Amino acid sequence: FKTILVFASLYFIGFVLLAISSTDYSVDRGYGLAGFGISVFLFIGFGTGGIKANVSSFMAEQIPLGYKATKVPGVYEDSKLTIERGFRYFYWSINLGAFFGQLICPQVAKLHSYAMAFTVPAIVFFVGIVVFIAGSKRYIKTKPQGTVLTKVWCCMRYARNSRKEGRSHWLEGALGARNVEWNDEFVIGLQRSLRACKIFLS
């Protein structure tokens, strides 16, 4: 929560600087290009990276794992399906925001100014930050548990040392391991990730 809030604040500052740097006052005095570079590559760049790296996992953490009873006797909700549906709405909202942003902002720049066109998303983003803070007490907040890269490295090293012939994938050597920080589901997910990387690299 705090990480998202910090990077969202950086993002908002970038919007404000971008709007200020595009005013006639800044452009006439030669501050426009410098302000554009600082706002986009420093504040908005870092803000975007920090938010995107955390907001999706934060959203998934709001859904408790397991099965939840519904009002219908004998019918339960699967948390995995709920998370899948949540991500569907999550990315739909992102795409809708990008769609309407590309429709509205150019028209505002055409009818008014670029400064006003950059001010509009700054205002919308500020409202989003306020709404995010307002729901703070309702969120499930988990403490950081270190980097997953260490777990991946240990899992891969264990699998390499436990290789046996006849297995379809070398990572299967890490399946069924005891007294380790990963489980079989993590190993299967790592296998899928490596296959996806091969597809992207090919």
Side-chain angles (χ1 to χ4, degrees), residues 6-69:
V6 169
F7 282 103
S9 300
L10 289 177
Y11 205 135
F12 175 71
I13 293 172
F15 268 133
V16 174
L17 291 177
L18 188 61
I20 294 174
S21 64
S22 62
T23 60
D24 294 336
Y25 180 87
S26 298
V27 174
D28 293 342
R29 284 159 179 77
Y31 303 141
L33 184 59
F36 172 82
I38 294 173
S39 61
V40 172
F41 296 108
L42 184 60
F43 287 96
I44 294 179
F46 277 100
T48 302
I51 293 174
K52 287 189 175 182
N54 293 281
V55 69
S56 57
S57 58
F58 183 78
M59 188 275 294
E61 289 175 352
Q62 306 311 306
I63 303 171
L65 298 178
Y67 295 94
K68 180 181 178 181

Side-chain angles (χ1 to χ4, degrees), residues 48-172:
T48 302
I51 293 174
K52 287 189 175 182
N54 293 281
V55 69
S56 57
S57 58
F58 183 78
M59 188 275 294
E61 289 175 352
Q62 306 311 306
I63 303 171
L65 298 178
Y67 295 94
K68 180 181 178 181
T70 62
K71 295 181 179 179
V72 181
V75 179
Y76 296 86
E77 291 182 357
D78 187 355
S79 61
K80 293 183 179 180
L81 297 177
T82 306
I83 292 174
E84 181 181 340
R85 186 167 63 249
F87 273 108
R88 193 180 302 124
Y89 293 139
F90 174 72
Y91 286 111
W92 259 107
S93 62
I94 292 176
N95 292 328
L96 284 175
F99 175 75
F100 286 110
Q102 293 191 25
L103 284 180
I104 296 172
C105 291
Q107 294 300 318
V108 174
K110 183 178 180 180
L111 298 175
H112 297 278
S113 64
Y114 281 101
M116 183 61 68
F118 293 132
T119 302
V120 171
I123 294 173
V124 174
F125 199 83
F126 178 76
V127 173
I129 293 176
V130 172
V131 172
F132 182 68
I133 296 174
S136 174
K137 295 181 179 180
R138 297 175 178 267
Y139 300 142
I140 299 174
K141 303 173 185 176
T142 57
K143 295 182 179 180
Q145 299 177 353
T147 175
V148 72
L149 296 178
T150 304
K151 185 191 295 186
V152 170
W153 169 252
C154 293
C155 178
M156 294 174 71
R157 186 175 61 179
Y158 185 94
R160 281 290 185 186
N161 295 332
S162 305
R163 282 185 300 176
K164 292 182 180 180
E165 295 183 0
R167 288 174 172 168
S168 60
H169 196 280
W170 63 272
L171 272 175
E172 291 182 0

